[in-house]
Amino acid sequence: MATIPTLGAERAAGRVASRAETRELLGRARYDLLVIGGGILGTATAWTAAQAGLKVAMVEAGDFAGATSSASSKLVHGGLRYLQTGAVRLVAENHKERRALATDVAPHLVNPLTFFVPVYQGGPHSAPKLGAGVFLYSALSAFRDGLGRVVSPAVAARAVPGLRTEGLRRVAVYGDHQMNDARMAVMTVRAAVDAGAVVLNHAEVTGLRFTRGRVTGAEVRDRLDGSEFGVDARLVLNATGPWVDHLRRMEHAGAAPSIRLSKGAHVVLRRQAPWRAALTIPIDHYRVSFAIPWEDHVLLGTTDEEYTGDPLEVRATDADVDQILSEAGHAVRGEHLRREDITYSFAGLRVLPGGPGTTAAAKRETVVTVGRAGMLSVAGGKWTTYRHIGRVILERLKHAPGVGLAEDVSPIPATVPLPGIGAPDAVARRLLVDREPGSRMDPLVARHLATHYGTLSFEIARLIAERPELGERVHPDGPDVWAQVVYAAGQEWAYTVDDVLRRRTTLTVRGLDGAEVRKRTAELLRE
């Protein structure tokens, strides 16, 4: 990564600053923008604002993308079902952002995937209707992911071995993309830091700072050692997701609720055979469920129900798992949906605008509000359009009254790639070929590194060259190696075992984070 020789640089001499160094940086300077929250919206805004030349700080109470932003359906998509509501322009805009991510921003992280929509006898949609829908969907992406069409059940069954064929009439086909959301978040944080931002996770805001009635910073507590410090800023952005109203009440105790929450749960299962395509399963005239090949497993979900509890307590319940397996059973045979094959389940919270009606029918839109003390609060958003949202928020920041940021904002390029950009196939080949005599990298490990780190894989390969034992797999049933743990601690702001196993690697979602793995990971973090 590039060294940024400024007072606010968090990387010096090619390393990530320690927590103590970062706390000192945060506490001794005045920033143009303090972003509170390190999920989709916070990281997107921090990256965008830093590119624009602003002096940016970002703090996150947990880990980066530690809540909902790493609990998505792992899709970068145009939104096929939005066509039902006539949102053609929205779908076209989504496609534009999706293509930018897949081709110019993060081709090492965003991968194309074929989707099948099965049409069963008595189902909510007909083959002609779905055929017309996927054709329009592909046309809105200029047919860059192929031609949306209708195929026979036999064609689909060859790509999806678990497909239930009883009563299956036809199958609609379209193209979209998928990614590992936790890795996208880490790479975006790294891009923000490369652009000059100073960031700290596991740092909880305990109060706001005010100057002449305006919010001008925050009081922060380091959750890992209990130390406290403050951050001063010309403008503060509240991007705390499900906690957005909690922070708004710090600004003004009487702030009315602005959002409502919808829980989305998912299940990850061991796959019984290779899946070469995903299923979009119509549940009713509006809702769909997904069965997606992901990280050598199958990802099922999601639910959509109003949530009124503590966001910290959200989880996938037994009832959620029952519902997900039942809905997947509309199109997937039972032997591919065995409970004993579940490796992981998780849930996140969608942040939706307040208002009447069901959460399933609520608009998925980003809402920006300005509090009476000048703090901006932003809620909603998704990975597909997170770059666009970051730019929209920057425009709002520029014109925040009484701050005068506009004159300090520089134009930013239309497209800036995330760190590690490169073709995964080419990166994997280099990892296999550029080895010391007598050494060899497992092809599965090489492919795994290439599709999760891009060209940054070569930094991990150098760790392995220096300490060959780090090239060993963490678990024989997965492709993650111990060098990734060391790299996560040294270069990716991983401080806890869950930071590493759940969000920097794929060990938890694969069900491979047993006691011995967690113990050894903790030892490496202490080193």
Side-chain angles (χ1 to χ4, degrees), residues 352-374:
L352 305 173
T358 66
T359 56
K363 290 183 178 180
R364 269 52 173 173
E365 61 184 20
T366 304
V367 179
V368 183
T369 59
V370 182
R372 62 167 54 185

Side-chain angles (χ1 to χ4, degrees), residues 48-396:
T48 306
Q51 289 177 59
L54 296 181
K55 191 170 187 177
V56 179
M58 180 174 72
V59 294
E60 159 60 44
D63 188 19
F64 299 125
T68 293
S69 296
S70 62
S72 74
S73 296
K74 325 300 180 185
L75 297 179
V76 178
H77 65 115
L80 176 64
R81 68 186 180 94
Y82 300 159
L83 292 178
Q84 281 187 262
T85 61
V88 174
R89 182 176 178 180
L90 174 63
V91 173
E93 291 173 349
N94 288 351
H95 274 311
K96 180 181 177 181
E97 281 297 303
R98 178 175 66 89
R99 295 302 308 177
L101 288 175
T103 58
D104 302 318
V105 178
H108 51 314
L109 304 173
V110 177
N111 308 300
L113 184 63
T114 298
F115 282 75
F116 292 134
V117 189
V119 180
Y120 290 98
Q121 182 178 2
H125 304 293
S126 67
K129 177 183 176 181
L130 282 175
V134 297
F135 178 84
L136 174 59
Y137 190 72
S138 61
L140 291 172
S141 68
F143 301 107
R144 292 177 182 173
D145 296 291
L147 175 66
R149 64 200 187 280
V150 175
V151 300
S152 69
V155 170
R158 286 195 291 270
V160 182
L163 180 65
R164 183 172 64 82
T165 56
E166 299 84 1
L168 182 58
R169 299 303 191 191
R170 300 289 282 174
V171 180
V173 185
Y174 67 97
D176 258 327
H177 287 75
Q178 67 174 167
M179 50 80 187
N180 182 311
D181 47 16
R183 294 298 315 163
M184 282 281 288
V186 169
M187 291 296 195
T188 304
V189 172
R190 187 161 177 162
V193 171
D194 280 354
V198 178
V199 305
L200 191 66
N201 52 353
H202 302 290
E204 178 186 10
V205 168
T206 57
L208 297 175
R209 290 184 166 186
F210 294 83
T211 302
R212 294 187 294 275
R214 288 187 60 85
V215 175
T216 55
E219 306 295 340
V220 184
R221 180 176 64 86
D222 189 326
R223 282 182 163 181
L224 299 187
D225 67 6
S227 60
E228 298 181 346
F229 60 99
V231 183
D232 291 318
R234 296 165 66 187
L235 191 60
V236 175
L237 178 70
N238 169 16
T240 53
W243 294 271
V244 67
D245 283 341
H246 171 73
L247 209 66
R248 290 177 62 246
R249 286 191 290 273
M250 285 187 183
E251 179 186 27
H252 169 50
S258 65
I259 63 166
R260 54 182 173 156
L261 303 175
S262 167
K263 184 174 79 168
H266 295 80
V267 168
V268 182
L269 300 97
R270 298 181 191 89
R271 64 182 188 182
Q272 303 303 310
W275 286 43
R276 295 190 297 275
L279 296 177
T280 298
I281 306 168
I283 302 303
D284 53 37
H285 284 285
Y286 188 78
R287 282 196 64 238
V288 299
S289 188
F290 294 106
I292 303 169
W294 183 71
E295 300 293 1
D296 305 318
H297 286 59
V298 176
L299 175 70
L300 303 178
T302 179
T303 59
D304 192 339
E305 60 180 26
E306 187 169 8
Y307 184 83
T308 57
D310 184 344
L312 286 174
E313 301 298 323
V314 66
R315 62 185 180 87
T317 64
D318 288 341
D320 293 328
V321 173
D322 288 341
Q323 177 184 340
I324 291 168
L325 293 177
S326 174
E327 291 181 347
H330 291 189
V332 181
R333 297 201 306 272
E335 62 267 29
H336 294 265
L337 300 173
R338 299 181 306 191
R339 277 185 172 269
E340 57 266 33
D341 289 329
I342 295 175
T343 60
Y344 189 59
S345 61
F346 60 92
L349 295 172
R350 304 176 189 90
V351 181
L352 305 173
T358 66
T359 56
K363 290 183 178 180
R364 269 52 173 173
E365 61 184 20
T366 304
V367 179
V368 183
T369 59
V370 182
R372 62 167 54 185
M375 182 175 71
L376 270 71
S377 295
V378 58
K382 61 181 181 179
W383 278 114
T384 302
T385 55
Y386 87 117
R387 285 189 330 132
H388 171 72
I389 293 170
R391 292 167 188 249
V392 169
I393 295 171
L394 179 62
E395 284 298 311
R396 291 294 300 268

Side-chain angles (χ1 to χ4, degrees), residues 294-521:
W294 183 71
E295 300 293 1
D296 305 318
H297 286 59
V298 176
L299 175 70
L300 303 178
T302 179
T303 59
D304 192 339
E305 60 180 26
E306 187 169 8
Y307 184 83
T308 57
D310 184 344
L312 286 174
E313 301 298 323
V314 66
R315 62 185 180 87
T317 64
D318 288 341
D320 293 328
V321 173
D322 288 341
Q323 177 184 340
I324 291 168
L325 293 177
S326 174
E327 291 181 347
H330 291 189
V332 181
R333 297 201 306 272
E335 62 267 29
H336 294 265
L337 300 173
R338 299 181 306 191
R339 277 185 172 269
E340 57 266 33
D341 289 329
I342 295 175
T343 60
Y344 189 59
S345 61
F346 60 92
L349 295 172
R350 304 176 189 90
V351 181
L352 305 173
T358 66
T359 56
K363 290 183 178 180
R364 269 52 173 173
E365 61 184 20
T366 304
V367 179
V368 183
T369 59
V370 182
R372 62 167 54 185
M375 182 175 71
L376 270 71
S377 295
V378 58
K382 61 181 181 179
W383 278 114
T384 302
T385 55
Y386 87 117
R387 285 189 330 132
H388 171 72
I389 293 170
R391 292 167 188 249
V392 169
I393 295 171
L394 179 62
E395 284 298 311
R396 291 294 300 268
L397 296 173
K398 282 170 54 178
H399 302 293
V403 181
L405 279 184
E407 60 191 33
D408 299 319
V409 174
S410 302
I412 61 177
T415 303
V416 177
L418 289 180
I421 185 172
D425 289 342
V427 172
R429 282 196 298 270
R430 276 194 57 190
L431 288 170
L432 293 172
V433 172
D434 295 351
R435 307 292 297 160
E436 294 295 324
S439 66
R440 178 180 181 274
M441 181 177 286
D442 186 318
L444 289 178
V445 172
R447 181 67 185 174
H448 175 72
L449 295 178
T451 55
H452 290 73
Y453 300 85
T455 59
L456 299 181
S457 301
F458 305 135
E459 297 180 7
I460 296 175
R462 282 194 289 273
L463 287 176
I464 296 172
E466 295 166 2
R467 297 175 58 184
E469 72 275 11
L470 295 180
E472 297 177 2
R473 294 194 193 192
V474 176
H475 192 284
D477 293 337
D480 294 286
V481 294
W482 288 112
Q484 291 174 250
V485 178
V486 174
Y487 190 77
Q491 301 295 327
E492 295 187 335
W493 304 276
Y495 297 100
T496 72
V497 170
D498 281 337
D499 289 351
V500 174
L501 301 184
R502 168 68 177 86
R503 288 175 290 277
R504 306 306 188 278
T505 68
T506 64
L507 288 154
T508 294
V509 297
R510 296 174 188 269
L512 305 179
D513 58 342
E516 286 301 313
V517 168
R518 297 184 72 86
K519 177 182 177 182
R520 177 57 179 151
T521 299

Side-chain angles (χ1 to χ4, degrees), residues 18-43:
S18 71
R19 292 187 69 80
E21 291 168 332
T22 301
R23 288 197 303 264
E24 183 182 359
L25 287 170
L26 290 170
R28 75 185 185 190
R30 184 170 185 251
Y31 291 85
D32 295 319
L33 175 66
L34 169 62
V35 179
I36 303 174
I40 293 174
L41 298 180
T43 56

